[in-house]
Coordinates of all heavy atoms in Angstrom, one line a residue:
V1 N -31.8 17.3 3.7 CA -30.3 17.3 3.7 C -29.9 15.8 3.8 O -30.5 15.1 4.6 CB -29.8 18.1 4.9 CG1 -28.2 18.0 5.0 CG2 -30.2 19.6 4.8
P2 N -29.0 15.4 3.0 CA -28.6 14.0 3.0 C -28.1 13.5 4.4 O -27.5 14.3 5.2 CB -27.4 13.9 2.0 CG -27.6 15.1 1.1 CD -28.2 16.1 2.0
E3 N -28.3 12.3 4.7 CA -27.9 11.7 6.0 C -26.4 11.6 6.0 O -25.7 11.5 5.0 CB -28.5 10.3 6.2 CG -30.0 10.3 6.4 CD -30.4 10.7 7.7 OE1 -29.6 10.6 8.7 OE2 -31.6 11.1 7.9
I4 N -25.8 11.7 7.3 CA -24.4 11.5 7.4 C -24.1 10.0 7.6 O -24.7 9.4 8.5 CB -23.9 12.3 8.7 CG1 -24.2 13.8 8.5 CG2 -22.4 12.1 9.0 CD1 -23.9 14.6 9.7
P5 N -23.1 9.5 6.8 CA -22.8 8.1 7.1 C -22.1 7.9 8.4 O -21.4 8.9 8.9 CB -21.8 7.8 5.9 CG -21.3 9.1 5.5 CD -22.4 10.1 5.7
Y6 N -22.2 6.8 9.0 CA -21.6 6.6 10.3 C -20.1 6.3 10.2 O -19.8 5.2 9.7 CB -22.3 5.4 11.0 CG -21.7 5.1 12.4 CD1 -21.7 6.0 13.4 CD2 -21.2 3.8 12.7 CE1 -21.1 5.8 14.6 CE2 -20.6 3.5 13.9 CZ -20.6 4.5 14.9 OH -20.0 4.3 16.1
Q7 N -19.3 7.3 10.5 CA -17.9 7.1 10.4 C -17.2 7.7 11.7 O -16.9 8.9 11.8 CB -17.4 7.9 9.2 CG -17.9 7.3 7.8 CD -17.4 8.2 6.7 OE1 -17.2 9.4 6.8 NE2 -17.3 7.6 5.5
P8 N -17.1 6.9 12.7 CA -16.5 7.3 14.0 C -15.2 8.0 13.8 O -14.3 7.5 13.1 CB -16.4 6.0 14.8 CG -17.4 5.1 14.2 CD -17.3 5.4 12.7
R9 N -15.0 9.1 14.5 CA -13.7 9.8 14.4 C -12.6 9.1 15.1 O -11.4 9.3 14.9 CB -13.8 11.2 15.0 CG -14.9 12.1 14.3 CD -14.7 12.1 12.8 NE -13.5 12.9 12.4 CZ -13.0 12.9 11.2 NH1 -13.6 12.2 10.2 NH2 -11.9 13.6 11.0
T10 N -12.9 8.2 16.0 CA -11.9 7.4 16.7 C -11.2 6.5 15.6 O -10.0 6.2 15.8 CB -12.5 6.5 17.7 OG1 -13.6 5.8 17.2 CG2 -12.9 7.3 19.0
A11 N -11.8 6.1 14.6 CA -11.2 5.3 13.5 C -10.1 6.2 12.8 O -9.0 5.7 12.5 CB -12.2 4.9 12.5
E12 N -10.4 7.5 12.7 CA -9.3 8.4 12.1 C -8.2 8.5 13.1 O -7.0 8.5 12.6 CB -10.0 9.8 11.9 CG -9.0 10.8 11.2 CD -8.8 10.4 9.7 OE1 -9.4 9.5 9.2 OE2 -7.9 11.1 9.2
S13 N -8.4 8.6 14.4 CA -7.3 8.6 15.3 C -6.5 7.3 15.3 O -5.2 7.4 15.3 CB -7.9 8.8 16.8 OG -8.6 10.0 16.9
L14 N -7.1 6.2 15.2 CA -6.4 4.9 15.1 C -5.5 4.9 13.8 O -4.4 4.4 13.8 CB -7.4 3.8 15.1 CG -8.0 3.5 16.4 CD1 -9.1 2.4 16.2 CD2 -7.0 3.0 17.4
R15 N -6.1 5.4 12.7 CA -5.3 5.4 11.4 C -4.1 6.3 11.6 O -3.0 6.0 11.1 CB -6.2 6.0 10.3 CG -5.5 6.0 8.9 CD -6.3 6.8 7.9 NE -6.5 8.2 8.3 CZ -5.5 9.1 8.1 NH1 -4.3 8.7 7.6 NH2 -5.7 10.3 8.4
E16 N -4.2 7.5 12.3 CA -3.1 8.3 12.5 C -2.0 7.7 13.4 O -0.8 7.9 13.2 CB -3.6 9.7 13.1 CG -4.4 10.5 12.1 CD -5.0 11.7 12.7 OE1 -5.0 11.8 14.0 OE2 -5.6 12.5 12.0
V17 N -2.5 6.9 14.4 CA -1.6 6.2 15.2 C -0.7 5.2 14.5 O 0.5 5.1 14.6 CB -2.3 5.5 16.4 CG1 -1.4 4.6 17.1 CG2 -2.8 6.6 17.4
R18 N -1.4 4.5 13.6 CA -0.7 3.5 12.8 C 0.3 4.2 11.8 O 1.4 3.7 11.7 CB -1.7 2.7 11.9 CG -2.5 1.6 12.7 CD -3.2 0.7 11.8 NE -4.2 1.3 11.1 CZ -5.5 1.4 11.4 NH1 -5.9 0.9 12.6 NH2 -6.4 2.0 10.7
E19 N 0.0 5.3 11.2 CA 0.9 6.0 10.3 C 2.1 6.5 11.1 O 3.2 6.4 10.6 CB 0.1 7.2 9.7 CG -0.9 6.8 8.6 CD -1.5 7.9 8.0 OE1 -1.3 9.1 8.4 OE2 -2.3 7.7 7.0
V20 N 1.9 7.1 12.3 CA 3.0 7.6 13.0 C 3.9 6.5 13.5 O 5.1 6.6 13.4 CB 2.5 8.4 14.3 CG1 3.7 8.8 15.2 CG2 1.8 9.7 13.8
T21 N 3.3 5.4 13.9 CA 4.0 4.2 14.4 C 4.9 3.6 13.2 O 6.1 3.3 13.4 CB 3.1 3.1 14.9 OG1 2.3 3.7 16.0 CG2 3.9 1.9 15.4
D22 N 4.3 3.5 12.1 CA 5.0 3.0 10.9 C 6.2 3.9 10.6 O 7.3 3.4 10.3 CB 4.1 2.9 9.7 CG 3.1 1.7 9.9 OD1 3.3 0.9 10.7 OD2 2.1 1.7 9.1
R23 N 6.0 5.2 10.6 CA 7.1 6.1 10.3 C 8.2 6.1 11.3 O 9.4 6.0 10.9 CB 6.6 7.6 10.2 CG 5.7 7.8 8.9 CD 5.6 9.3 8.7 NE 5.1 10.1 9.8 CZ 3.8 10.3 10.0 NH1 2.9 9.9 9.1 NH2 3.4 11.0 11.0
M24 N 7.9 6.0 12.6 CA 9.0 6.1 13.6 C 9.8 4.8 13.6 O 11.0 4.8 13.7 CB 8.4 6.4 14.9 CG 7.6 5.4 15.6 SD 6.9 6.0 17.2 CE 6.1 4.5 17.8
Y25 N 9.1 3.6 13.4 CA 9.8 2.4 13.3 C 10.7 2.2 12.1 O 11.7 1.6 12.1 CB 8.9 1.2 13.5 CG 8.5 1.0 15.0 CD1 7.2 1.1 15.4 CD2 9.5 0.7 15.9 CE1 6.9 1.0 16.7 CE2 9.2 0.6 17.3 CZ 7.9 0.7 17.7 OH 7.6 0.5 19.0
A26 N 10.2 2.8 11.0 CA 11.0 2.8 9.7 C 12.2 3.6 9.9 O 13.3 3.2 9.4 CB 10.1 3.4 8.6
R27 N 12.1 4.7 10.6 CA 13.3 5.6 10.9 C 14.3 4.8 11.8 O 15.5 4.9 11.6 CB 12.9 6.9 11.6 CG 14.0 7.9 11.8 CD 13.4 9.1 12.4 NE 14.5 10.1 12.7 CZ 14.3 11.3 13.2 NH1 13.0 11.6 13.5 NH2 15.3 12.1 13.5
V28 N 13.8 4.1 12.8 CA 14.7 3.3 13.7 C 15.4 2.2 12.9 O 16.6 2.0 13.1 CB 13.9 2.8 14.9 CG1 14.7 1.8 15.7 CG2 13.4 3.9 15.8
R29 N 14.6 1.5 12.0 CA 15.2 0.4 11.3 C 16.3 0.9 10.3 O 17.4 0.3 10.2 CB 14.1 -0.3 10.5 CG 13.2 -1.2 11.3 CD 12.4 -2.1 10.4 NE 11.5 -1.4 9.5 CZ 10.3 -1.0 9.8 NH1 9.8 -1.4 11.0 NH2 9.5 -0.4 9.0
A30 N 16.0 2.1 9.7 CA 17.0 2.7 8.8 C 18.3 3.1 9.5 O 19.4 2.8 9.0 CB 16.4 3.9 8.1
A31 N 18.1 3.7 10.7 CA 19.3 4.1 11.5 C 20.1 2.8 12.0 O 21.3 2.8 12.0 CB 18.9 4.9 12.7
T32 N 19.4 1.8 12.3 CA 20.0 0.5 12.8 C 20.8 -0.1 11.7 O 21.9 -0.6 11.8 CB 19.0 -0.4 13.3 OG1 18.2 0.2 14.4 CG2 19.6 -1.7 13.8
T33 N 20.2 -0.1 10.5 CA 20.9 -0.6 9.3 C 22.2 0.1 9.0 O 23.2 -0.5 8.7 CB 20.0 -0.6 8.1 OG1 18.8 -1.4 8.3 CG2 20.7 -1.2 6.8
A34 N 22.1 1.5 9.1 CA 23.3 2.3 8.8 C 24.4 2.0 9.8 O 25.6 2.0 9.5 CB 22.9 3.8 8.8
L35 N 24.0 1.8 11.1 CA 25.0 1.5 12.1 C 25.7 0.2 11.9 O 26.9 0.0 12.0 CB 24.3 1.5 13.5 CG 25.2 1.2 14.7 CD1 26.4 2.2 14.8 CD2 24.4 1.2 16.0
H36 N 24.9 -0.8 11.5 CA 25.4 -2.2 11.2 C 26.4 -2.1 10.0 O 27.5 -2.7 10.1 CB 24.3 -3.2 10.8 CG 23.7 -3.8 12.1 ND1 24.3 -4.7 12.8 CD2 22.4 -3.6 12.6 CE1 23.5 -5.1 13.8 NE2 22.4 -4.4 13.7
E37 N 26.1 -1.3 9.0 CA 26.9 -1.2 7.9 C 28.2 -0.5 8.3 O 29.3 -0.8 7.8 CB 26.3 -0.4 6.8 CG 25.1 -1.1 6.1 CD 24.4 -0.3 5.0 OE1 24.7 0.9 4.9 OE2 23.5 -0.8 4.3
A38 N 28.1 0.6 9.1 CA 29.3 1.3 9.5 C 30.3 0.4 10.3 O 31.5 0.5 10.2 CB 28.9 2.5 10.3
I39 N 29.7 -0.5 11.1 CA 30.5 -1.4 11.9 C 31.1 -2.5 11.1 O 32.3 -2.8 11.1 CB 29.7 -2.0 13.1 CG1 29.3 -0.8 14.1 CG2 30.5 -3.1 13.8 CD1 28.4 -1.3 15.2
H40 N 30.3 -3.2 10.3 CA 30.7 -4.4 9.6 C 31.5 -4.1 8.4 O 32.4 -4.9 8.0 CB 29.5 -5.3 9.2 CG 28.8 -5.9 10.4 ND1 29.3 -6.8 11.2 CD2 27.5 -5.7 10.9 CE1 28.5 -7.1 12.2 NE2 27.3 -6.4 12.0
E41 N 31.3 -2.9 7.8 CA 32.1 -2.5 6.7 C 33.3 -1.7 7.1 O 34.0 -1.2 6.2 CB 31.2 -1.8 5.6 CG 30.1 -2.6 5.1 CD 29.3 -1.8 4.1 OE1 29.7 -0.7 3.7 OE2 28.2 -2.4 3.7
K42 N 33.5 -1.5 8.4 CA 34.6 -0.8 8.9 C 34.8 0.6 8.3 O 35.9 0.9 7.7 CB 35.9 -1.6 8.7 CG 35.8 -3.0 9.5 CD 37.1 -3.8 9.3 CE 37.0 -5.1 10.0 NZ 38.2 -6.0 9.8
K43 N 33.8 1.4 8.3 CA 33.8 2.7 7.7 C 34.5 3.7 8.6 O 34.6 4.9 8.2 CB 32.4 3.2 7.4 CG 31.6 2.4 6.4 CD 30.3 2.9 6.1 CE 29.6 2.2 4.9 NZ 28.3 2.7 4.6

């Protein structure tokens, strides 16, 4: 049976953390931009 390549699962956990972090900060940035526009453009 072929050998298993060494691929620690903690690396997968770190990748998921980065993805979640990127998504949540993108959402915060988008909401902040929308608030700035509403204020400065006097919506």
Side-chain angles (χ1 to χ4, degrees):
V1 176
E3 293 283 340
I4 298 175
Y6 179 57
Q7 295 175 333
R9 301 307 292 169
T10 47
E12 185 70 10
S13 297
L14 287 171
R15 183 190 63 79
E16 292 171 350
V17 167
R18 285 193 295 269
E19 288 182 353
V20 171
T21 302
D22 289 344
R23 287 199 302 268
M24 68 185 186
Y25 281 118
R27 184 176 177 183
V28 170
R29 286 194 298 269
T32 302
T33 299
L35 178 59
H36 277 288
E37 290 178 354
I39 294 173
H40 294 296
E41 296 179 11
K42 299 179 180 180
K43 293 184 177 181

